[in-house]
């Protein structure tokens, strides 16, 4: 039973990861990876994040896609490329945060503009759930007052005050799970039934 629960938990996490799907960028859009395109302008309005993919489309053999260091990017040299491909369609998954440098390794192409730098943002952690706001209970520190002359006890007991904040208001859309979450739970449940877990 514990392994079944672990499998269902893994399935739920996988579904959540798919829900925050990565973006697929076609480098140069309709121009593709070619001479004459302005890749600095192309990349300037994009927010690259870990998990995104870059797709380079070009004439196989006529160009290459070489991921290089910053120094090799500046010098337009592919002799120490981190990875290289000249198949005509190259897909690169951005797995690490920071700057990634790409050039065409064919002589003269990089110096004529076939170079691209993308700055990949680090993955941001999921926001922590908010705890309900309450005011802690504190006993009263007011000393007991002496009783009036002629009473039997001599002290008047005090009762600690408890103050609680009202529950936070939620909008109608936040009252329960969002539609996407319900869909993921439905997929996980369907998979669990198909696997014979329930």
């Amino acid at each position: 039973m514990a392994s079944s629960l672990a499998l269902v938990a893994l399935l739920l996490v996988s579904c959540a990861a798919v829900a925050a799907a990565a973006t697929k960028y076609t480098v140069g859009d309709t121009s593709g990876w070619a001479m004459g395109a302005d890749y600095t302008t192309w990349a300037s309005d994009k927010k690259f994040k870990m998990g995104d993919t870059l797709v380079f489309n070009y004439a196989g053999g006529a160009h290459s896609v070489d991921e290089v260091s910053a120094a090799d990017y500046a010098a337009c040299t592919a002799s120490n490329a981190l990875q290289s491909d000249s198949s005509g369609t190259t897909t690169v998954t951005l797995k690490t945060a920071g700057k990634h440098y790409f050039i065409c390794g064919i002589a003269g192409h990089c110096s004529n503009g076939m170079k691209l730098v993308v700055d990949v943002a680090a993955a941001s952690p999921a926001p922590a759930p908010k705890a309900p706001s309450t005011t802690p209970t504190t006993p009263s520190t007011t000393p007991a007052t002496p009783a009036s002359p002629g009473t039997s006890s001599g002290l008047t007991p005090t009762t600690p005050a408890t103050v609680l904040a009202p529950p936070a208001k939620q909008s109608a859309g936040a009252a329960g799970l969002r539609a996407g979450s319900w869909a993921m739970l439905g997929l996980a449940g369907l998979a669990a039934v198909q696997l014979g877990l329930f």
Side-chain angles (χ1 to χ4, degrees):
M1 180 66 174
S3 64
S4 297
L5 290 176
L7 181 61
V8 170
L10 180 62
L11 187 58
L12 286 173
V13 169
S14 298
C15 289
V18 170
T23 304
K24 177 179 159 183
Y25 294 98
T26 300
V27 175
D29 296 322
T30 57
S31 299
W33 185 237
M35 301 268 284
D38 182 357
Y39 298 106
T40 301
T41 301
W42 175 84
S44 67
D45 65 343
K46 296 177 177 49
K47 305 281 186 211
F48 301 102
K49 62 187 180 305
M50 288 175 29
D52 287 350
T53 56
L54 301 176
V55 179
F56 294 82
N57 293 315
Y58 54 96
H63 300 295
S64 69
V65 176
D66 297 271
E67 185 170 6
V68 297
S69 67
D72 287 347
Y73 177 85
C76 278
T77 181
S79 60
N80 298 315
L82 304 171
Q83 61 183 356
S84 181
D85 184 52
S86 59
S87 65
T89 302
T90 304
T91 301
V92 177
T93 301
L94 302 171
K95 297 178 183 175
T96 58
K99 293 191 177 185
H100 293 260
Y101 302 90
F102 301 93
I103 65 171
C104 178
I106 305 298
H109 291 196
C110 174
S111 58
N112 283 314
M114 284 189 73
K115 56 197 284 183
L116 167 69
V117 61
V118 296
D119 196 1
V120 180
S124 56
K130 291 185 179 181
S133 172
T134 60
T135 304
T137 29
T138 338
S140 173
T141 57
T142 307
T145 54
S148 303
T151 60
S152 61
S153 84
L155 293 178
T156 304
T158 59
T159 306
T162 303
V163 180
L164 296 177
K169 290 186 179 180
Q170 294 182 339
S171 66
L177 293 173
R178 292 193 171 125
S181 298
W182 281 111
M184 291 301 142
L185 288 173
L187 288 173
L190 179 61
V193 169
Q194 291 297 320
L195 292 171
L197 299 176
F198 296 104

